[in-house]
Amino acid sequence: MLDGGGKQGMRTQVAIVGAGPAGLMLGRLLEQAGIDAVIVERKSADYVLGRIRAGVLEWGSVDLLERAGVGRRMRAEGLVHHGTALSFDGDRLHIDFTGLVGRQVMVYGQTEVTRDLMAIRQGLTIYEAEEVELHDLDGQPAVTYRKDGVAHRIDCDFIAGCDGFHGVCRASVPQQALTTFERVYPFGWLGVLVDEKPVDDELIYAHHPRGFALCSQRSPTRSRYYVQVDAGERVEDWPDDRFWDELRRRLDPATAEALQTGASIEKSIAPLRSFVAEPLRFGRLFLAGDAAHIVPPTGAKGLNLALGDVAMLAPALVEALIERSSAGIDTYSARALQRIWKAERFSWWMTGLLHVFPDAGAFGRRIQRAEFDYLARSRAAQQSLAENYVGLP
Ligand code: FAD
Ligand code: DHB
């Protein structure tokens, strides 16, 4: 069908921009409720699947994946973690999630979550859409894009902006309608994926005078490791040997000794940032996930927040479209921001405890040590960490 502007036209109830975890999960939840949604994604499906990102699911996310009907592989292949280790200048501290708060997390990679959601989706996803633009957000909204040189238009009732931090949705909101809050950290994480047995049964978050390091995993035979690097470092300057040497230096001697290294199968640098845009709504556009907020990865909250947003947004949109009630969409932003700011606080705190800050000085370093020592001796402090890490309700 051609619209008046000579574009190929179609209509849907919800146009979702972005096929990351937020967009795909929203599409799935709407599909389950009988709502028609089209997803428009800038990259190819393979490109989206090739991005190695988060690895830890809060139990709320596990439950959501089950509800969405994509829990089978996660249940079979995911690793339930009952605790995590912190290490500070070589001193180890175990945080026992089960003993402290009676809950656990699931280690199951974002790539796998994305793959499962892609596989179950029945609705239309348009990959490799170029020049995606949003229109008439206050009236009768539409999304336009080009695909293979042809212009397309999707008219819709609502648009969901699930297109990540650098997407077009937040950028389409008039500047005066958004308030943004931001902290940029002067370092990033260099991550390596390797087909070797993980160094430990649990994750190890390590502070060392040379910088932070994290030992994570994807399966009993695949490991994910990170080291803090200065902002501006380039992956090309980190051959595998240099990475493994640096990681070993930041771990306690026993862990460094046990580390099994190999040829990396992926290596990338992620900058660290805290960011929130308020509110999450402009007219008929709703922002969710990284499009609205970013956390530094230290607390493993980014993916969980994205899933939490759409778990709130989906029923609100269903209510608006089926029951013609705006109660859910009117309060979506305020409700989601409550949870978002708590995760922002926790991720900022954990980043502050574990990283080396170039301008912290001797006082700042002693405060970090005191914080670790307090944590090591206070059940209340450990309980607070555990409660936030496994995910607030
Ligand atoms: P995204 O996953 O970013 O998905 C957005 C989608 O929108 C993408 O597929 C993108 O291609 C698409 N898109 C962008 N612009 C457009 C456009 N104009 N038109 C159409 N489509 C568009 N979190 C952790 O907890 N632990 C980690 O280790 C970790 N590592 C990370 C590493 C990197 C490099 C990044 C960027 C993030 C990392 N995160 C991590 C955060 C976590 O992965 C994100 O919070 C999560 O991906 C958010 O999901 P999302 O669906 O909101 O956004
Ligand atoms: C992973 C990433 C994180 O940010 C984190 O806190 C824990 C694990 C990971 O990629 O495995």
Side-chain angles (χ1 to χ4, degrees):
M1 191 178 90
L2 289 182
D3 73 355
K7 290 186 170 75
Q8 292 279 345
M10 68 173 121
R11 194 182 153 76
T12 188
Q13 289 174 291
V14 182
I16 299 173
V17 184
L24 286 166
M25 178 56 87
L26 179 63
R28 176 61 187 158
L29 296 173
L30 293 176
E31 199 163 80
Q32 284 182 312
I35 300 288
D36 186 59
V38 173
I39 303 183
V40 180
E41 163 63 50
R42 186 171 58 171
K43 303 285 190 184
S44 70
D46 283 345
Y47 182 95
V48 171
L49 281 173
R51 285 188 303 224
I52 308 298
R53 290 182 171 180
V56 178
L57 296 178
E58 297 173 359
W59 218 260
S61 301
V62 170
D63 287 340
L64 180 67
L65 288 162
E66 297 276 11
R67 279 208 308 281
V70 286
R72 195 185 51 79
R73 207 161 62 91
M74 170 186 68
R75 232 176 296 123
E77 297 174 20
L79 306 168
V80 177
H81 278 210
H82 292 265
T84 192
L86 302 189
S87 148
F88 203 99
D89 298 348
D91 297 335
R92 280 277 284 255
L93 166 64
H94 183 244
I95 305 289
D96 172 11
F97 301 148
T98 304
L100 290 160
V101 292
R103 294 163 68 202
Q104 300 78 31
V105 295
M106 175 82 86
V107 170
Y108 189 65
Q110 177 167 336
T111 319
E112 309 313 316
V113 172
T114 307
R115 191 185 301 282
D116 296 342
L117 286 167
M118 278 181 178
I120 205 165
R121 179 165 171 75
Q122 283 159 17
L124 178 64
T125 307
I126 298 143
Y127 286 100
E128 298 179 296
E130 293 166 3
E131 297 171 33
V132 177
E133 286 178 21
L134 278 48
H135 308 271
D136 204 7
L137 298 176
D138 258 342
Q140 295 179 322
V143 173
T144 58
Y145 61 94
R146 293 185 81 80
K147 168 99 180 168
D148 301 326
V150 180
H152 295 262
R153 176 184 175 96
I154 308 173
D155 289 292
C156 54
D157 296 306
F158 296 107
I159 300 175
C162 302
D163 53 345
F165 184 66
H166 299 288
V168 66
C169 291
R170 194 181 69 253
S172 302
V173 177
Q175 240 181 11
Q176 68 276 12
L178 280 184
T179 308
T180 59
F181 305 84
E182 184 168 37
R183 169 151 306 183
V184 178
Y185 302 86
F187 41 74
W189 282 17
L190 168 63
V192 157
L193 191 68
V194 64
D195 275 330
E196 295 288 343
K197 185 177 179 294
V199 70
D200 200 286
D201 292 342
E202 295 184 339
L203 271 58
I204 304 172
Y205 288 86
H207 171 95
H208 184 273
R210 293 182 66 85
F212 169 77
L214 170 60
C215 304
S216 183
Q217 53 195 260
R218 291 288 180 274
S219 76
T221 56
R222 181 167 283 189
S223 306
R224 180 74 165 156
Y225 295 103
Y226 297 94
V227 294
Q228 174 186 350
V229 293
D230 289 344
E233 285 274 0
R234 300 177 324 160
V235 175
E236 304 83 84
D237 297 328
W238 285 88
D240 289 356
D241 285 349
R242 182 178 177 204
F243 178 86
W244 296 123
D245 286 347
E246 188 59 41
L247 178 61
R248 265 194 221 94
R249 294 172 82 163
R250 297 183 188 187
L251 301 175
D252 62 272
T255 307
E257 176 72 25
L259 183 71
Q260 297 191 15
T261 64
S264 63
I265 50 176
E266 195 271 353
K267 195 186 285 165
S268 53
I269 294 181
L272 265 67
R273 184 194 301 272
S274 298
F275 175 87
V276 182
E278 295 182 356
L280 308 184
R281 175 184 188 177
F282 180 75
R284 292 181 160 257
L285 166 70
F286 296 87
L287 300 174
D290 280 16
H293 44 77
I294 295 285
V295 288
T298 324
K301 290 282 162 253
L303 169 60
N304 292 293
L305 272 185
L307 294 176
D309 285 356
V310 297
M312 262 182 214
L313 181 56
L317 290 173
V318 172
E319 211 176 284
L321 286 162
I322 294 181
E323 295 164 30
R324 303 282 159 194
S325 156
S326 69
I329 55 174
D330 287 345
T331 55
Y332 161 69
S333 177
R335 285 182 293 132
L337 282 164
Q338 284 272 337
R339 183 163 178 275
I340 290 162
W341 274 111
K342 287 179 190 137
E344 289 284 343
R345 183 206 70 81
F346 176 65
S347 306
W348 161 85
W349 172 80
M350 210 158 147
T351 300
L353 170 67
L354 293 169
H355 289 73
V356 170
F357 287 75
D359 56 359
F363 180 82
R365 289 193 294 277
R366 282 286 199 277
I367 291 289
Q368 280 177 312
R369 179 74 220 190
E371 180 99 48
F372 180 81
D373 289 342
Y374 170 58
L375 202 53
R377 280 161 192 77
S378 163
R379 184 177 164 88
Q382 289 182 22
Q383 223 162 9
S384 168
L385 191 160
E387 171 180 59
N388 281 277
Y389 192 93
V390 303
L392 296 170

